[in-house]
Amino acid sequence: MNKFDIQIREDGEHAVIETAGYLNDALGEQLADKAKELIGNGYTQLVINLEKTTLINSIGISILIEIIEALHEREGALNFCGLSATQERTFRMMALAKYAGIFPDEESAIANL
Amino acid sequence: MSDIAKRVILTIPMYPDMELAAAKTASVLAELMDFGEGEVEEIQLAIIETCINAFEHSKSDDQEVHIEFLLMADELQFKVTDRGVGISTDTLDGSRVLGSPSVHTDLRKRGRGLQIIRSLMDEVDIESSPNGTTVSVKKKKRG
């Protein structure tokens, strides 16, 4: 995986999006496009793996909120995994954790969709 | 590190991703001061958000952000200054740019940068005038 990259893994009823690099407006827009494409293709159970995402700024968080809202409109679900302690704290403060699950690894994030 | 403060000055242009230069510098200084790994990440995120606020709101003619780091015995301080038009605190807080509630009233689209900075740092002060804005931040060492 490149320093700045997005990987998609589709598996039956769910899909995993893995990002690497700095989640800002540029990577965030790519992530949103991929997520909307997956949702458009019928995937409403998503996992976003942030293990290789070194930093997430407030614009990146805003884009994650847009994905949560898009899934909410389809009665879907989103779980995050691979967050650092600081990222998890920020997500909880920004209320993302109320509408999306946070799990330590991809396996548990998928299992809890 | 001695009790005498060490000072590091950095000026960055308002180009995309240049906040990462400030974050890298902050990371090196925080590691030099023996901040923990999590605290280093908190400092990086705080300075990124402070720089982004300047990039987005200052409208400065020189398109530069000036950063001063002060390395104290028990805390890291940084001041982020732009020579822009100044900004109201409610804009920095995001309350002026949020608009009407979306699907979830507490999931807001924009303007949470200062909220993040305040949650991660020990002290945050903002001075703003029509000649520019300075955001001063302090992060104390734990233990």
Side-chain angles (χ1 to χ4, degrees):
Chain A
M1 183 178 277
N2 296 327
K3 200 172 181 181
F4 174 98
D5 199 8
I6 296 177
Q7 300 282 328
I8 308 290
R9 293 187 284 280
E10 298 171 42
D11 185 9
E13 294 182 352
H14 70 264
V16 177
I17 307 173
E18 185 176 16
T19 58
Y22 173 36
L23 185 47
N24 57 358
D25 50 345
L27 180 58
E29 292 297 343
Q30 287 188 36
L31 171 60
D33 288 345
K34 295 284 186 187
K36 286 170 187 168
E37 189 179 325
L38 287 167
I39 294 167
N41 290 337
Y43 286 99
T44 55
Q45 308 290 307
L46 297 183
V47 168
I48 297 180
N49 186 337
L50 297 166
E51 189 176 357
K52 295 171 183 166
T53 303
T54 48
L55 288 164
I56 305 171
N57 70 18
S58 57
I59 301 169
I61 288 174
S62 297
I63 290 168
L64 293 176
I65 290 171
E66 289 178 3
I67 296 170
I68 291 172
E69 290 178 337
L71 279 169
H72 185 271
E73 289 170 4
R74 304 281 186 105
E75 297 184 345
L78 173 65
N79 286 337
F80 293 104
C81 65
L83 280 71
S84 70
T86 301
Q87 288 167 347
E88 181 171 342
R89 182 176 160 193
T90 307
F91 277 31
R92 292 192 186 285
M93 187 211 22
M94 304 286 278
L96 274 75
K98 280 188 179 179
Y99 305 101
I102 296 176
F103 296 91
D105 53 54
E106 193 172 307
E107 189 179 34
S108 57
I110 292 169
N112 285 281
L113 279 169
Chain B
M1 185 169 290
S2 74
D3 288 343
I4 301 169
K6 292 181 172 62
R7 193 168 70 127
V8 175
I9 304 289
L10 178 69
T11 297
I12 58 172
M14 293 182 181
Y15 296 158
D17 290 350
M18 281 308 296
E19 69 274 16
L20 289 177
K24 180 64 180 174
T25 304
S27 169
V28 169
L29 297 176
E31 286 173 6
L32 182 69
M33 294 178 67
D34 292 326
F35 275 95
E37 187 179 336
E39 292 172 312
V40 172
E41 189 181 346
E42 291 172 1
I43 291 165
Q44 284 186 294
L45 184 54
I47 200 159
I48 281 173
E49 294 300 332
T50 312
C51 289
I52 288 173
N53 269 333
F55 290 5
E56 292 191 341
H57 300 296
S58 72
K59 301 186 181 84
S60 73
D61 289 335
D62 65 8
Q63 290 288 290
E64 288 182 341
V65 172
H66 308 276
I67 304 163
E68 177 185 20
F69 296 95
L70 278 179
L71 287 68
M72 316 294 284
D74 59 350
E75 68 181 27
L76 174 63
Q77 301 179 10
F78 60 84
K79 290 184 180 183
V80 176
T81 300
D82 66 68
R83 298 185 182 120
V85 298
I87 191 163
S88 62
T89 306
D90 63 338
T91 299
L92 278 170
D93 278 323
S95 54
R96 212 171 73 179
V97 293
L98 294 177
S100 57
S102 184
V103 175
H104 310 297
T105 54
D106 51 353
L107 286 184
R108 307 296 192 182
K109 298 266 186 186
R110 297 285 173 192
R112 291 303 200 194
L114 191 60
Q115 186 184 356
I116 291 173
I117 299 165
R118 285 193 164 125
S119 75
L120 298 176
M121 300 291 105
D122 293 304
E123 287 184 43
V124 182
D125 292 306
I126 300 166
E127 292 176 49
S128 194
S129 76
N131 299 316
T133 300
T134 296
V135 180
S136 303
V137 177
K138 293 181 182 177
K139 180 70 171 177
K140 297 181 190 304
K141 286 173 71 174
R142 304 287 174 234

